[in-house]
Amino acid sequence: EAVEEANYILERVKQYNVTLPIVFDWEKLDDVPARTYGLESEVLTDAALAFCQTIEAGGLEAMIYFNVYYACYGMYLEELTDYPFWLAMYSTIMDYPYKIDMWQYTENGRIKGASNKDVDLSRLYVNYPALINGEKFENGLIEKGDIDFDGNISASDSRLALRFSVGLDTPSSLQRKIGDIDKNGMAW
């Protein structure tokens, strides 16, 4: 079923220039019953993996969305580290101890044009549109060492490289593809 869903999405977006990953988002909504509630962690993890593999086989980037509860109890994230993570954790401080590529930090955001309704707001830590489209940066093309793709090695880049090297995090498939890090997780 996860493969069917991924293929459905691939069919619907094929005429568009997709500049962000296609996201596996499974969550339990309190007010909406679903037959998939109560899935075992192994089944949910397998579904996420099948979905992401199908999206990437279709030529697009895949990402996995989850909240802190599902990070701890819902999925086996260690089996999904080939894909970027999008974490929903409503807080003013990011204190999740593992690498994420996007952080949904509030469900009470306000933006112009949203009819004064609360909206989810997220921070994206990877410039996927530029990366996916091969756009150039001020210093030329994306180069080795541009872990956060800004053209400079920063303290956060060094911290991320250190987390890779000691095994606290693993690089995403996108980071592996562009060669920011070597097979041991070290920044070049």
Side-chain angles (χ1 to χ4, degrees):
E1 205 171 314
V3 170
E4 290 173 4
E5 291 288 334
N7 283 324
Y8 176 85
I9 292 168
L10 288 169
E11 182 63 30
R12 297 304 174 274
V13 302
K14 68 182 178 184
Q15 71 270 19
Y16 298 104
N17 178 26
V18 178
T19 60
L20 291 170
I22 303 295
V23 180
F24 178 85
D25 177 1
W26 185 96
E27 53 190 295
K28 182 179 186 295
L29 302 174
D30 293 331
D31 57 341
V32 181
R35 66 177 174 71
T36 57
Y37 292 167
L39 284 179
E40 294 180 10
S41 296
E42 183 176 347
V43 174
L44 183 54
T45 302
D46 288 346
L49 189 58
F51 178 90
C52 290
Q53 288 171 338
T54 304
I55 293 296
E56 292 208 340
L60 297 175
E61 296 296 329
M63 177 181 270
I64 298 170
Y65 174 91
F66 56 89
N67 60 31
V68 175
Y69 177 84
Y70 284 105
C72 296
Y73 305 108
M75 288 188 267
Y76 299 132
L77 293 181
E78 65 275 5
E79 295 180 25
L80 302 169
T81 58
D82 283 344
Y83 303 99
F85 290 151
W86 179 6
L87 174 68
M89 183 178 81
Y90 302 143
S91 172
T92 57
I93 299 171
M94 169 45 69
D95 60 359
Y96 186 70
Y98 302 103
K99 180 189 167 297
I100 59 165
D101 295 86
M102 191 180 311
W103 171 30
Q104 183 178 323
Y105 61 92
T106 186
E107 62 183 346
N108 300 313
R110 295 293 176 119
I111 57 172
K112 188 176 182 178
S115 302
N116 292 324
K117 293 184 180 178
D118 290 341
V119 296
D120 295 341
L121 295 178
S122 297
R123 289 191 174 106
L124 180 61
Y125 297 114
V126 176
N127 189 344
Y128 284 106
L131 187 62
I132 289 170
N133 291 322
E135 293 176 13
K136 294 188 175 198
F137 291 83
E138 291 178 15
N139 66 335
L141 292 172
I142 297 171
E143 297 175 352
K144 294 176 182 176
D146 293 339
I147 291 177
D148 66 4
F149 314 118
D150 66 359
N152 298 303
I153 299 291
S154 68
S156 62
D157 294 329
S158 300
R159 187 169 49 253
L160 185 56
L162 177 62
R163 291 180 68 83
F164 287 159
S165 68
V166 298
L168 292 174
D169 288 314
T170 57
S172 70
S173 58
L174 203 51
Q175 288 166 320
R176 285 189 191 102
K177 285 179 189 175
I178 64 166
D180 280 342
I181 45 95
D182 66 20
K183 64 182 174 138
N184 297 315
M186 299 297 292
W188 293 19

Short mmCIF file of all heavy atoms in Angstrom, two decimals, residues 66-68 71-72 77-78 81 83-87 89 94-103 125 159-160 163-164 166-171:
data_model
loop_
_atom_site.label_atom_id
_atom_site.label_comp_id
_atom_site.label_asym_id
_atom_site.label_seq_id
_atom_site.Cartn_x
_atom_site.Cartn_y
_atom_site.Cartn_z
N PHE A 66 7.79 13.01 11.30
CA PHE A 66 7.35 12.35 12.52
C PHE A 66 7.37 13.34 13.67
O PHE A 66 8.00 14.39 13.59
CB PHE A 66 8.23 11.14 12.86
CG PHE A 66 9.70 11.47 12.98
CD1 PHE A 66 10.25 11.87 14.19
CD2 PHE A 66 10.53 11.38 11.86
CE1 PHE A 66 11.60 12.17 14.30
CE2 PHE A 66 11.87 11.69 11.96
CZ PHE A 66 12.41 12.08 13.18
N ASN A 67 6.67 12.99 14.75
CA ASN A 67 6.76 13.79 15.97
C ASN A 67 7.62 13.05 16.98
O ASN A 67 8.08 11.93 16.72
CB ASN A 67 5.36 14.12 16.52
CG ASN A 67 4.57 12.88 16.87
OD1 ASN A 67 5.11 11.84 17.26
ND2 ASN A 67 3.25 12.98 16.74
N VAL A 68 7.85 13.64 18.11
CA VAL A 68 8.75 13.05 19.10
C VAL A 68 8.22 11.70 19.59
O VAL A 68 9.00 10.76 19.77
CB VAL A 68 8.98 14.02 20.29
CG1 VAL A 68 9.80 13.37 21.37
CG2 VAL A 68 9.68 15.29 19.80
N ALA A 71 9.08 9.21 17.08
CA ALA A 71 10.53 9.02 17.06
C ALA A 71 10.94 8.01 18.13
O ALA A 71 11.85 7.22 17.94
CB ALA A 71 11.24 10.35 17.30
N CYS A 72 10.24 8.05 19.25
CA CYS A 72 10.58 7.16 20.37
C CYS A 72 9.85 5.83 20.32
O CYS A 72 10.41 4.79 20.67
CB CYS A 72 10.26 7.85 21.69
SG CYS A 72 11.23 9.33 22.00
N LEU A 77 13.65 4.52 13.69
CA LEU A 77 14.34 5.53 12.88
C LEU A 77 15.74 5.10 12.46
O LEU A 77 16.22 5.51 11.41
CB LEU A 77 14.40 6.86 13.64
CG LEU A 77 13.06 7.54 13.86
CD1 LEU A 77 13.25 8.85 14.60
CD2 LEU A 77 12.30 7.75 12.56
N GLU A 78 16.38 4.24 13.25
CA GLU A 78 17.73 3.79 12.88
C GLU A 78 17.71 3.01 11.57
O GLU A 78 18.74 2.91 10.89
CB GLU A 78 18.36 2.96 14.00
CG GLU A 78 17.66 1.66 14.31
CD GLU A 78 16.49 1.76 15.28
OE1 GLU A 78 16.11 2.89 15.68
OE2 GLU A 78 15.91 0.71 15.63
N THR A 81 17.67 5.97 8.29
CA THR A 81 18.64 7.07 8.26
C THR A 81 19.16 7.41 6.87
O THR A 81 19.90 8.37 6.72
CB THR A 81 19.82 6.79 9.20
OG1 THR A 81 20.44 5.56 8.81
CG2 THR A 81 19.37 6.74 10.65
N TYR A 83 17.32 8.58 4.74
CA TYR A 83 16.41 9.63 4.31
C TYR A 83 16.44 10.80 5.29
O TYR A 83 16.62 10.60 6.49
CB TYR A 83 14.99 9.07 4.17
CG TYR A 83 14.98 7.91 3.23
CD1 TYR A 83 15.01 6.60 3.71
CD2 TYR A 83 15.04 8.11 1.86
CE1 TYR A 83 15.06 5.53 2.84
CE2 TYR A 83 15.10 7.04 0.99
CZ TYR A 83 15.11 5.75 1.48
OH TYR A 83 15.19 4.69 0.62
N PRO A 84 16.22 12.02 4.79
CA PRO A 84 16.16 13.17 5.70
C PRO A 84 14.93 13.08 6.60
O PRO A 84 13.91 12.49 6.22
CB PRO A 84 16.06 14.37 4.76
CG PRO A 84 16.09 13.86 3.37
CD PRO A 84 16.09 12.39 3.39
N PHE A 85 15.06 13.70 7.76
CA PHE A 85 13.97 13.69 8.75
C PHE A 85 13.39 15.09 8.93
O PHE A 85 14.12 16.08 8.98
CB PHE A 85 14.49 13.22 10.12
CG PHE A 85 14.86 11.77 10.18
CD1 PHE A 85 15.84 11.35 11.07
CD2 PHE A 85 14.25 10.81 9.40
CE1 PHE A 85 16.20 10.01 11.17
CE2 PHE A 85 14.59 9.47 9.49
CZ PHE A 85 15.56 9.06 10.38
N TRP A 86 12.07 15.12 9.07
CA TRP A 86 11.33 16.34 9.38
C TRP A 86 10.61 16.08 10.70
O TRP A 86 9.71 15.26 10.79
CB TRP A 86 10.36 16.64 8.26
CG TRP A 86 9.50 17.85 8.41
CD1 TRP A 86 9.53 18.80 9.38
CD2 TRP A 86 8.46 18.23 7.51
NE1 TRP A 86 8.58 19.76 9.16
CE2 TRP A 86 7.90 19.43 8.00
CE3 TRP A 86 7.93 17.68 6.35
CZ2 TRP A 86 6.86 20.10 7.37
CZ3 TRP A 86 6.89 18.34 5.72
CH2 TRP A 86 6.37 19.53 6.22
N LEU A 87 11.01 16.79 11.73
CA LEU A 87 10.50 16.57 13.08
C LEU A 87 9.48 17.63 13.46
O LEU A 87 9.73 18.83 13.30
CB LEU A 87 11.65 16.62 14.09
CG LEU A 87 11.27 16.57 15.57
CD1 LEU A 87 10.71 15.20 15.94
CD2 LEU A 87 12.46 16.90 16.44
N MET A 89 8.05 19.18 16.59
CA MET A 89 8.28 19.32 18.03
C MET A 89 8.02 20.78 18.37
O MET A 89 8.81 21.65 18.03
CB MET A 89 9.71 18.94 18.40
CG MET A 89 9.98 19.00 19.89
SD MET A 89 11.65 18.49 20.33
CE MET A 89 12.55 19.99 19.96
N MET A 94 15.24 24.03 19.86
CA MET A 94 15.44 22.71 19.26
C MET A 94 16.40 21.94 20.15
O MET A 94 17.59 22.23 20.19
CB MET A 94 16.00 22.85 17.84
CG MET A 94 16.49 21.54 17.23
SD MET A 94 15.41 20.11 17.41
CE MET A 94 14.06 20.56 16.38
N ASP A 95 15.88 20.97 20.88
CA ASP A 95 16.75 20.18 21.74
C ASP A 95 16.65 18.70 21.44
O ASP A 95 17.03 17.86 22.26
CB ASP A 95 16.49 20.47 23.22
CG ASP A 95 15.06 20.15 23.64
OD1 ASP A 95 14.26 19.72 22.79
OD2 ASP A 95 14.75 20.34 24.82
N TYR A 96 16.14 18.36 20.27
CA TYR A 96 16.13 16.96 19.85
C TYR A 96 17.57 16.56 19.59
O TYR A 96 18.30 17.27 18.90
CB TYR A 96 15.27 16.83 18.58
CG TYR A 96 15.07 15.41 18.12
CD1 TYR A 96 14.27 14.53 18.84
CD2 TYR A 96 15.68 14.95 16.96
CE1 TYR A 96 14.07 13.23 18.41
CE2 TYR A 96 15.48 13.64 16.52
CZ TYR A 96 14.68 12.80 17.25
OH TYR A 96 14.49 11.51 16.84
N PRO A 97 18.03 15.44 20.13
CA PRO A 97 19.46 15.15 20.12
C PRO A 97 20.01 14.57 18.82
O PRO A 97 21.21 14.33 18.73
CB PRO A 97 19.61 14.14 21.26
CG PRO A 97 18.30 13.44 21.31
CD PRO A 97 17.29 14.48 20.95
N TYR A 98 19.18 14.38 17.81
CA TYR A 98 19.67 13.76 16.57
C TYR A 98 19.47 14.70 15.40
O TYR A 98 18.70 15.66 15.47
CB TYR A 98 18.96 12.43 16.33
CG TYR A 98 19.15 11.48 17.49
CD1 TYR A 98 18.13 11.27 18.41
CD2 TYR A 98 20.37 10.84 17.69
CE1 TYR A 98 18.32 10.42 19.49
CE2 TYR A 98 20.56 10.00 18.78
CZ TYR A 98 19.53 9.80 19.66
OH TYR A 98 19.72 8.98 20.73
N LYS A 99 20.13 14.38 14.31
CA LYS A 99 20.09 15.23 13.13
C LYS A 99 18.71 15.21 12.49
O LYS A 99 18.12 14.16 12.28
CB LYS A 99 21.12 14.75 12.11
CG LYS A 99 21.13 15.59 10.86
CD LYS A 99 22.00 14.95 9.81
CE LYS A 99 21.78 15.61 8.48
NZ LYS A 99 20.44 15.46 7.97
N ILE A 100 18.22 16.39 12.18
CA ILE A 100 17.00 16.53 11.40
C ILE A 100 17.28 17.53 10.29
O ILE A 100 18.20 18.35 10.38
CB ILE A 100 15.80 16.99 12.26
CG1 ILE A 100 16.10 18.34 12.91
CG2 ILE A 100 15.42 15.94 13.27
CD1 ILE A 100 14.88 19.01 13.47
N ASP A 101 16.50 17.47 9.23
CA ASP A 101 16.67 18.37 8.10
C ASP A 101 15.62 19.47 8.09
O ASP A 101 15.80 20.50 7.46
CB ASP A 101 16.62 17.58 6.79
CG ASP A 101 17.80 16.63 6.69
OD1 ASP A 101 17.70 15.49 7.21
OD2 ASP A 101 18.83 17.03 6.14
N MET A 102 14.51 19.24 8.80
CA MET A 102 13.47 20.25 8.91
C MET A 102 12.82 20.11 10.29
O MET A 102 12.70 19.01 10.81
CB MET A 102 12.41 20.07 7.82
CG MET A 102 11.46 21.24 7.73
SD MET A 102 10.15 21.12 6.44
CE MET A 102 11.03 20.65 5.00
N TRP A 103 12.44 21.26 10.85
CA TRP A 103 11.83 21.28 12.18
C TRP A 103 10.51 22.05 12.11
O TRP A 103 10.51 23.24 11.83
CB TRP A 103 12.78 21.93 13.18
CG TRP A 103 12.23 22.22 14.54
CD1 TRP A 103 11.26 21.54 15.20
CD2 TRP A 103 12.61 23.29 15.41
NE1 TRP A 103 11.02 22.10 16.44
CE2 TRP A 103 11.84 23.18 16.59
CE3 TRP A 103 13.55 24.32 15.31
CZ2 TRP A 103 11.97 24.07 17.65
CZ3 TRP A 103 13.67 25.20 16.36
CH2 TRP A 103 12.89 25.07 17.53
N TYR A 125 16.57 23.20 7.12
CA TYR A 125 18.00 23.38 7.33
C TYR A 125 18.84 23.04 6.11
O TYR A 125 20.06 23.17 6.15
CB TYR A 125 18.46 22.53 8.53
CG TYR A 125 17.81 22.97 9.81
CD1 TYR A 125 16.92 22.12 10.47
CD2 TYR A 125 18.05 24.22 10.36
CE1 TYR A 125 16.31 22.52 11.65
CE2 TYR A 125 17.44 24.62 11.53
CZ TYR A 125 16.58 23.77 12.17
OH TYR A 125 15.96 24.16 13.33
N ARG A 159 30.14 20.82 13.97
CA ARG A 159 29.42 20.02 14.96
C ARG A 159 28.71 18.84 14.27
O ARG A 159 28.74 17.72 14.76
CB ARG A 159 28.42 20.91 15.70
CG ARG A 159 27.75 20.23 16.86
CD ARG A 159 26.97 21.20 17.75
NE ARG A 159 26.09 22.09 17.04
CZ ARG A 159 26.32 23.40 16.85
NH1 ARG A 159 27.39 23.96 17.35
NH2 ARG A 159 25.47 24.14 16.19
N LEU A 160 28.11 19.10 13.10
CA LEU A 160 27.44 18.04 12.37
C LEU A 160 28.45 17.00 11.90
O LEU A 160 28.22 15.80 12.02
CB LEU A 160 26.68 18.62 11.17
CG LEU A 160 25.84 17.66 10.36
CD1 LEU A 160 24.82 16.95 11.24
CD2 LEU A 160 25.14 18.41 9.24
N ARG A 163 29.29 14.89 14.82
CA ARG A 163 28.22 13.95 15.13
C ARG A 163 28.23 12.77 14.15
O ARG A 163 27.98 11.64 14.52
CB ARG A 163 26.86 14.65 15.13
CG ARG A 163 26.71 15.64 16.30
CD ARG A 163 25.35 16.32 16.28
NE ARG A 163 24.28 15.39 16.55
CZ ARG A 163 23.89 15.00 17.77
NH1 ARG A 163 24.52 15.46 18.82
NH2 ARG A 163 22.90 14.16 17.92
N PHE A 164 28.53 13.04 12.86
CA PHE A 164 28.65 11.96 11.89
C PHE A 164 29.81 11.04 12.27
O PHE A 164 29.68 9.83 12.25
CB PHE A 164 28.92 12.50 10.48
CG PHE A 164 27.75 13.16 9.82
CD1 PHE A 164 27.95 14.04 8.77
CD2 PHE A 164 26.44 12.90 10.20
CE1 PHE A 164 26.89 14.65 8.13
CE2 PHE A 164 25.37 13.50 9.56
CZ PHE A 164 25.60 14.38 8.52
N VAL A 166 31.30 10.36 15.06
CA VAL A 166 31.19 9.52 16.26
C VAL A 166 29.92 8.66 16.24
O VAL A 166 29.64 7.95 17.18
CB VAL A 166 31.24 10.36 17.56
CG1 VAL A 166 32.57 11.06 17.68
CG2 VAL A 166 30.08 11.34 17.64
N GLY A 167 29.17 8.73 15.15
CA GLY A 167 28.03 7.85 14.98
C GLY A 167 26.74 8.29 15.65
O GLY A 167 25.79 7.52 15.74
N LEU A 168 26.67 9.54 16.14
CA LEU A 168 25.42 10.02 16.73
C LEU A 168 24.37 10.27 15.65
O LEU A 168 23.18 10.13 15.88
CB LEU A 168 25.65 11.29 17.54
CG LEU A 168 26.47 11.12 18.81
CD1 LEU A 168 26.75 12.47 19.44
CD2 LEU A 168 25.74 10.22 19.79
N ASP A 169 24.83 10.67 14.49
CA ASP A 169 23.96 10.90 13.34
C ASP A 169 24.56 10.22 12.13
O ASP A 169 25.75 9.91 12.11
CB ASP A 169 23.83 12.40 13.02
CG ASP A 169 23.02 13.15 14.05
OD1 ASP A 169 21.95 12.66 14.43
OD2 ASP A 169 23.46 14.23 14.45
N THR A 170 23.75 10.04 11.14
CA THR A 170 24.25 9.56 9.86
C THR A 170 23.85 10.56 8.79
O THR A 170 22.80 11.18 8.89
CB THR A 170 23.69 8.17 9.51
OG1 THR A 170 22.27 8.24 9.51
CG2 THR A 170 24.16 7.11 10.49
N PRO A 171 24.67 10.71 7.77
CA PRO A 171 24.32 11.66 6.72
C PRO A 171 23.11 11.20 5.93
O PRO A 171 22.85 10.00 5.81
CB PRO A 171 25.57 11.67 5.83
CG PRO A 171 26.26 10.39 6.13
CD PRO A 171 25.94 10.04 7.54
#
